[in-house]
Amino acid sequence: MMSWPIFISLLPLIFPAAAAVVIVGVLAFVRSHVLTASIALVGLFGGLASIVVVAPSEFPLAGFVAMDGAGRFFVALIIAAAIVTLLFSYDYFRRRAGRQEEFYVLLLLATVGASALAASTHLVWLFMGLELLSISLYAMIAYERSEMLGIEAGLKYLVLAAGSSALLLMGMALIYAAWGSLAFVDLRAGAAGFFAAQQSQRVVPFAGMALMVVGLGFKLAAVPLHLWTPDVYQGSPAPVAGFIATASKAAALAVLLRLSGQLGWQDEPAMRSILQVLAIASMLGGNLLALLQSNLKRLLAYSSVAHIGYLLVPLLAYAGDSTFIVSFYLVAYFAATLTAFGVISVLLPTHKADELSDYHGLFYRRPALAIAMTIALLSLAGIPLTAGFMGKFFVLIGSTAQTLWALVITLVISSGIGLYYYLRAAFVLYAPRPTRLGAPSRNPLPATSAFVLAALIIAIIAMGIWPSGVMNLLP
Amino acid sequence: MVLTWLIAIPMLGALAALALRHNGRGARAAALGAMVAELVLASWLWWSWGNAAIVPLPGGAWLEVFQHSWIPMIGASFLLAVDGLSLLMVLLTALIGAMSVLSAWRARVRRAGVFYFLLLWMLGAAVGIFLAMDLLLLYVFWEMMIIPLYFLIALWGGSGGPAAATKTFIFTQVSGLFMLVSSIGLVIWSGAGSFDYFSLIGVSAQLPSHIALWLMLGFLAAMAIKLPVVGVHTWLVDAHQQAPINGAVDLSGLVIKVGAYGLIRFLVPLFPDAAADFATVGRVLAVAGILYGGVMAFAQSDLKRLAAYITISHMGFVLLAVFVWNELALQGAVVLIISSALGAAGLFVMAGIVHARTGRRDLANLGGLWRTMPRLGGLSMALAMAAMGLPMLASFVGEILVLAGTLKVSVTFTALAAGGFVISVIYAPWLIQKVFQGKPTVDEDVVTGADDLSRRELAMLAAAVAVLVWLGVYPHSVLDTSAPAVRAIQQAGQPTHLKNAPPGPVRFNLEERP
């Protein structure tokens, strides 16, 4: 029986899901790109609006999915990312051949999956959300069936994601075997016993937790589980790559954050070392490997790996404000990453814009896009007056307060390495010798994308100068 | 509120230049207008405020404070304050900024609007550094200064511009992050709960000494690289070498020593005990910088690299003063920051003019320019004399005060530092001899008498030389302004074991006037 309060509280998930169903129905009669995109947009906005309606305190399904402060925030963030992705995709696919309408169904389902994952408080919900997200992503990555790289990327993601799901399931099974429950609430009790237990009794739950971290770490693309990232980013359509870099990672991070709060697994020495290795390896590995890239999408892929490293730091420094730090950082990271992929997706359909050399002198052809890209890159690099700096600053506060010196030093040094390639990419945009792009373009930018990019840039700068405004909205 | 204007005027000028980007003349006029307005405002404040402390806050003799809430949750606010030291630095920035805009006046800069935007943005950030009294705000301005510098050197600089710019950026940015981490650590562990300078003075005494030392090193990394201290100085030399030839960027981004100011204002007052523990190492680095900079200056063949090493040598004296930490030496450091900046600015403008006229900058291919360019030669001679610390010129006053201050503490370091004078007597006349004397290597029809200084260039160089002479003859015009501030800073930075000790005999009374 589905009672009324349950229905209300699930509205943020129901709206996008319903929009997907409506689109499938409509497509049987009318094929219209703009109509489909509009329905999807209405569904997503409905979901976003209904988050305001959901009261955090009286949530009846708390055992499965929690729309508490953090849950609401992550679902809102994911839906917002989906809206941005949708608007970019509209301009992107509009200018390409082929049937575009089904893409929106996949995007909506992926959003539902990511939201369910982010808000889950039960391992079954967690797995369900994860699979819904992954299966939609397989198809979204390989959506352009004429592109060889896209097919390759889709297949790679399919195989590796399926493998990581298997590991995650195995981990859940072991945890269930040890503690006899799948709900986070009960796991908490199990974890409390775990820390008191003998060494010999720790093996099974420890293996379970480790396998779960591996499964989620794959979604996060933390080093050494990042191998799929560059190929998938390069092969997928630019808006989809943006969606993978943001929504999909935020969902996995939300789960990790909730598990850290519930299980306190970062206090267990062996688990702590695993997380610490993941964080340090991601920071250094992501930034070092990004140095070698000549393809902008691959560069952004490694940059996102590095950012996951930064985001794991507040998990290790788990304290009352970790959720806040992660949330702020994610908002900043979302805005910058979506801007970068937005610029690529605006450019990509009209001319090949993949290699860094294709961006030579972009400023003299498309000044607005070059400036947007510069601000996004500076924010990712963590330069003051952008949101990225404030994010990094809060991470530093959290980790310095807990005296995690290894992490702090790694963070500082790897940011220095990171600067090198962000600056190189930014410099290319203004390089005085335009190779392929000669005279200034007279074609206006696609209106929707231009509007979204402007909004994102304003958000980046506003958060960098006046973070208090956003801080009040965060959990 | 007037402090906000000091920062806002260059930045508004920057935006105006950007808005006029399709009109190169308009952009440069906007830039010059902003810097002149800044100079007028700063001079007026200097003239009208006097030097009596008005705001009773520690760590300076504060003339004006402005505070606005910014991020209350973490105790960061938009906090600006000015005392004599900051005011002098702002004046210097305005003067050098105006020179900097003028030095590129006829250079036909490509994309002038963006160029002047970046230039003025950098100057505004420099003023921000001198006024910010909130450590987070300080870091924001610190970084804001670096980004335009990167683009200016990378896009308008020489063929090695991108590499030099990247090196500059990474050196300064990473060290800046260490400063940020140290600020956070200081705020959190001392329990001050706020990033404002006034409430952080003295709190490091409550920290365990090894922690205070590490935090101090974070600040030192940022300031020492920016200064630069020998060992981490290579970025500065490369940056000067690759900066646009007209010298505008050298002046506005590199010559104004925010690192020196940071050492005096922040490093020692925030960590007095740790700095005292570190003093010997610091003095060794300082003396090494004085001697090494001088020797390396003599070894250069590129005019701009030579000038860069001269400033490194001068900054050694400033570092020595910081790790001697008495009022006399610090007053000397203040004069030296000003004189070194003006002298270096003059030398970089000179190098730019020589390059523009002859197309050369390496000493091996220059010579005999005096015959065709006597005015440039004469003023360059004065600048070279200033670089070697000839009496009656400002740097002499600065260096002698630093040495006198050092003498109170250590004879050895005084003697070693005085060696810098000896070396400067080698490189400074040698520079003039190479460029202006000897056989002319450039054909007389390439560089004719008509290529001597234009009125604009003459005014710029003459202004720099005039200030150097004025301060050399009557240094009290600056020393009086900085004295109360320096005294307060010096007291804030006294290590704990000296704080309660009776004052020693006064040997040099700076208050006394003939």
Side-chain angles (χ1 to χ4, degrees):
Chain A
M1 262 309 285
M2 186 113 167
S3 72
W4 188 241
I6 293 180
F7 180 76
I8 295 276
S9 59
L10 281 181
L11 271 181
L13 304 185
I14 289 173
F15 261 109
V21 174
V22 171
I23 291 176
V24 172
V26 168
L27 279 184
F29 303 101
V30 200
R31 256 194 184 278
S32 155
H33 188 196
V34 68
L35 177 66
T36 324
S38 311
I39 298 173
L41 195 61
V42 168
L44 289 173
F45 268 114
L48 197 57
S50 60
I51 286 174
V52 183
V53 182
V54 177
S57 52
E58 358 168 326
F59 190 65
L61 266 181
F64 294 97
V65 42
M67 284 291 180
D68 53 0
R72 278 155 35 115
F73 167 76
F74 281 110
V75 172
L77 194 63
I78 287 164
I79 295 182
I83 290 173
V84 172
T85 308
L86 185 148
L87 294 173
F88 285 144
S89 316
Y90 175 70
D91 278 332
Y92 182 85
F93 287 114
R94 194 162 52 89
R95 293 181 286 163
R96 312 204 99 175
R99 297 199 154 168
Q100 303 99 352
E101 288 78 12
E102 283 81 2
F103 177 82
Y104 298 98
V105 178
L106 293 168
L107 179 62
L108 288 167
L109 291 178
T111 310
V112 175
S115 308
L117 177 59
S120 61
T121 54
H122 193 279
L123 292 180
V124 170
W125 265 85
L126 191 162
F127 190 71
M128 205 181 68
L130 186 87
E131 283 303 289
L132 187 53
L133 172 64
S134 299
I135 292 167
S136 314
L137 282 180
Y138 304 148
M140 283 163 76
I141 292 168
Y143 195 74
E144 294 173 284
R145 277 163 298 164
S146 52
E147 301 273 337
M148 285 310 291
L149 278 176
I151 307 277
E152 183 201 325
L155 197 63
K156 201 167 239 175
Y157 193 73
L158 171 73
V159 173
L160 291 174
S164 79
S165 293
L167 290 180
L168 186 71
L169 267 185
M170 188 67 206
M172 292 178 183
L174 289 177
I175 286 188
Y176 183 72
W179 296 336
S181 173
L182 290 171
F184 287 9
V185 191
D186 304 329
L187 295 187
R188 189 179 216 159
F194 169 74
F195 289 118
Q198 299 280 322
Q199 194 66 37
S200 59
Q201 293 169 319
R202 286 183 172 201
V203 177
V204 174
F206 170 72
M209 290 194 285
L211 284 172
M212 280 190 69
V213 168
V214 170
L216 291 168
F218 171 83
K219 269 271 169 296
L220 290 174
V223 176
L225 307 161
H226 67 288
L227 292 170
W228 57 275
T229 323
D231 292 335
V232 167
Y233 281 35
Q234 189 184 8
S236 32
V240 176
F243 188 77
I244 300 173
T246 53
S248 149
K249 292 196 174 187
L253 202 67
V255 170
L256 217 48
L257 196 62
R258 205 180 280 276
L259 284 173
S260 294
Q262 295 275 344
L263 303 183
W265 60 14
Q266 68 283 353
D267 296 331
E268 211 279 328
M271 281 301 291
R272 190 173 181 80
S273 341
I274 291 181
L275 287 170
Q276 200 150 2
V277 166
L278 284 181
I280 291 180
S282 302
M283 287 192 267
L284 285 178
N287 280 317
L288 285 172
L289 291 169
L291 290 178
L292 309 174
Q293 306 308 316
S294 61
N295 179 300
L296 188 59
K297 278 164 133 185
R298 293 180 79 90
L299 188 148
L300 287 170
Y302 282 111
S303 137
S304 80
V305 170
H307 280 276
I308 287 304
Y310 304 146
L311 276 163
L312 287 174
V313 172
L315 279 181
L316 282 155
Y318 196 88
D321 53 4
S322 282
T323 311
F324 164 75
I325 296 173
V326 170
S327 312
F328 191 97
Y329 198 100
L330 271 179
V331 176
Y333 167 78
F334 267 48
T337 307
L338 288 171
T339 307
F341 281 106
V343 171
I344 297 178
S345 73
V346 171
L347 285 172
L348 204 52
T350 42
H351 57 257
K352 189 178 161 303
D354 239 16
E355 295 298 318
L356 263 181
S357 55
D358 296 332
Y359 289 82
H360 255 296
L362 179 70
F363 178 72
Y364 308 109
R365 183 183 165 89
R366 289 272 191 206
L369 288 183
I371 289 173
M373 189 59 139
T374 311
I375 293 176
L377 289 170
L378 291 179
S379 182
L380 286 173
I383 302 295
L385 299 189
T386 62
F389 165 68
M390 282 297 160
K392 205 170 265 178
F393 175 68
F394 290 131
V395 171
L396 279 175
I397 287 196
S399 45
T400 309
Q402 308 257 330
T403 62
L404 300 171
W405 289 126
L407 292 171
V408 172
I409 304 275
T410 315
L411 204 164
V412 169
I413 293 191
S414 55
S415 317
I417 301 170
L419 277 177
Y420 184 81
Y421 62 84
Y422 290 124
L423 282 180
R424 193 174 51 132
F427 168 71
V428 160
L429 304 174
Y430 302 88
R433 41 204 161 99
T435 46
R436 295 154 50 85
L437 321 166
S441 171
R442 295 274 164 230
N443 303 331
L445 292 175
T448 349
S449 298
F451 174 74
V452 178
L453 281 176
L456 287 171
I457 291 299
I458 291 172
I460 291 175
I461 302 282
M463 277 176 74
I465 295 177
W466 206 258
S468 309
V470 177
M471 287 162 81
N472 294 326
L473 299 175
L474 299 184
Chain B
M1 200 60 209
V2 71
L3 301 183
T4 320
W5 277 110
L6 281 174
I7 298 172
I9 288 172
M11 293 193 169
L12 291 176
L15 294 174
L18 193 63
L20 293 168
R21 67 183 178 282
H22 298 301
N23 171 2
R25 286 164 171 276
R28 73 181 187 191
L32 184 64
M35 286 329 291
V36 169
E38 177 86 359
L39 190 57
V40 169
L41 178 59
S43 314
W44 180 73
L45 294 177
W46 188 34
W47 181 76
S48 65
W49 269 343
N51 62 357
I54 294 166
V55 189
L57 284 166
W62 303 104
L63 302 167
E64 170 94 16
V65 175
F66 174 79
Q67 187 166 23
H68 193 277
S69 95
W70 181 29
I71 317 176
M73 278 169 245
I74 54 169
S77 63
F78 187 79
L79 176 60
L80 305 176
V82 74
D83 64 357
L85 176 63
S86 297
L87 187 57
L88 287 175
M89 294 297 128
V90 173
L91 260 174
L92 178 70
T93 310
L95 182 61
I96 299 237
M99 276 178 75
S100 157
V101 175
L102 276 176
S103 67
W105 197 252
R106 291 227 178 271
R108 285 199 201 83
V109 183
R110 282 172 289 140
R111 301 185 292 281
V114 185
F115 180 83
Y116 286 112
F117 167 77
L118 294 170
L119 203 65
L120 265 79
W121 194 263
M122 198 155 68
L123 288 163
V127 174
I129 293 174
F130 294 132
L131 297 179
M133 291 302 147
D134 179 285
L135 293 187
L136 186 60
L137 191 63
L138 172 78
Y139 177 78
V140 167
F141 283 126
W142 194 266
E143 293 286 298
M144 260 168 72
M145 201 176 161
I146 306 175
I147 301 159
L149 186 62
Y150 170 80
F151 282 105
L152 283 169
I153 297 179
L155 293 174
W156 280 271
S159 55
T166 308
K167 190 173 178 184
T168 301
F169 194 98
I170 291 178
F171 264 71
T172 42
Q173 222 274 349
V174 172
S175 62
L177 270 177
F178 279 116
M179 176 171 85
L180 181 67
V181 172
S182 282
S183 314
I184 296 172
L186 181 65
V187 170
I188 290 179
W189 294 328
S190 66
S194 153
F195 280 84
D196 87 63
Y197 172 72
F198 311 119
S199 62
L200 287 172
I201 286 181
V203 296
S204 71
Q206 302 151 18
L207 296 174
S209 62
H210 68 281
I211 294 209
L213 183 68
W214 281 108
L215 294 179
M216 189 276 289
L217 287 177
F219 273 80
L220 186 65
M223 310 300 180
I225 283 181
K226 198 87 184 179
L227 189 62
V229 169
V230 71
V232 286
H233 64 282
T234 53
W235 69 267
L236 180 85
V237 184
D238 291 350
H240 271 306
Q241 185 185 4
Q242 299 296 343
I245 51 168
N246 56 48
V249 177
D250 299 287
L251 264 60
S252 53
L254 298 166
V255 152
I256 303 162
K257 294 297 176 189
V258 292
Y261 166 81
L263 285 171
I264 296 174
R265 169 75 76 205
F266 293 104
L267 183 95
V268 185
L270 289 179
F271 306 100
D273 295 323
D277 293 344
F278 195 75
T280 312
V281 183
R283 289 174 200 165
V284 169
L285 284 173
V287 169
I290 296 172
L291 301 178
Y292 179 83
V295 172
M296 286 302 281
F298 183 56
Q300 298 309 308
S301 62
D302 182 299
L303 258 180
K304 279 182 144 184
R305 290 180 78 93
L306 194 160
Y309 276 109
I310 295 179
T311 62
I312 291 172
S313 180
H314 286 167
M315 286 305 120
F317 281 100
V318 174
L319 190 66
L320 187 61
V322 167
F323 284 106
V324 165
W325 203 254
N326 53 40
E327 201 186 325
L328 204 55
L330 288 174
Q331 283 281 51
V334 173
V335 177
L336 205 51
I337 293 172
I338 297 170
S339 69
S340 163
L342 283 169
L347 284 177
F348 285 114
V349 170
M350 185 268 272
I353 292 172
V354 168
H355 192 153
R357 304 292 202 278
T358 64
R360 302 170 188 187
R361 218 169 59 203
D362 51 328
L363 296 172
N365 290 332
L366 285 168
L369 283 179
W370 197 293
R371 191 176 311 197
T372 44
M373 304 173 77
R375 281 189 269 181
L376 178 64
L379 286 166
S380 303
M381 179 72 106
L383 290 168
M385 294 304 111
M388 72 186 221
L390 206 70
M392 305 296 276
L393 288 164
S395 40
F396 172 75
V397 177
E399 287 172 12
I400 213 71
L401 284 175
V402 172
L403 288 179
T406 312
L407 193 58
K408 290 185 179 181
V409 180
S410 157
V411 178
T412 322
F413 282 110
T414 317
L416 286 172
F421 274 113
V422 179
I423 298 171
S424 70
V425 172
I426 301 173
Y427 66 68
W430 176 76
L431 158 70
I432 296 300
Q433 193 260 328
K434 278 287 182 188
V435 179
F436 293 101
Q437 312 290 332
K439 259 178 79 163
T441 52
V442 185
D443 289 340
E444 298 235 340
D445 51 338
V446 175
V447 181
T448 63
D451 283 326
D452 204 355
L453 298 182
S454 68
R455 273 191 208 149
R456 166 184 60 90
E457 292 160 342
L458 189 65
M460 279 164 63
L461 288 176
V465 171
V467 177
L468 288 173
V469 173
W470 172 255
L471 293 183
V473 176
Y474 189 65
H476 270 283
S477 45
V478 159
L479 292 176
D480 283 351
T481 308
S482 60
V486 165
R487 190 168 308 133
I489 293 171
Q490 197 271 342
Q491 266 152 23
Q494 281 280 32
T496 320
H497 64 94
L498 286 182
K499 272 222 170 98
N500 304 322
V506 179
R507 277 185 228 169
F508 304 92
N509 192 346
L510 290 171
E511 293 298 284
E512 242 170 54
R513 304 261 197 95

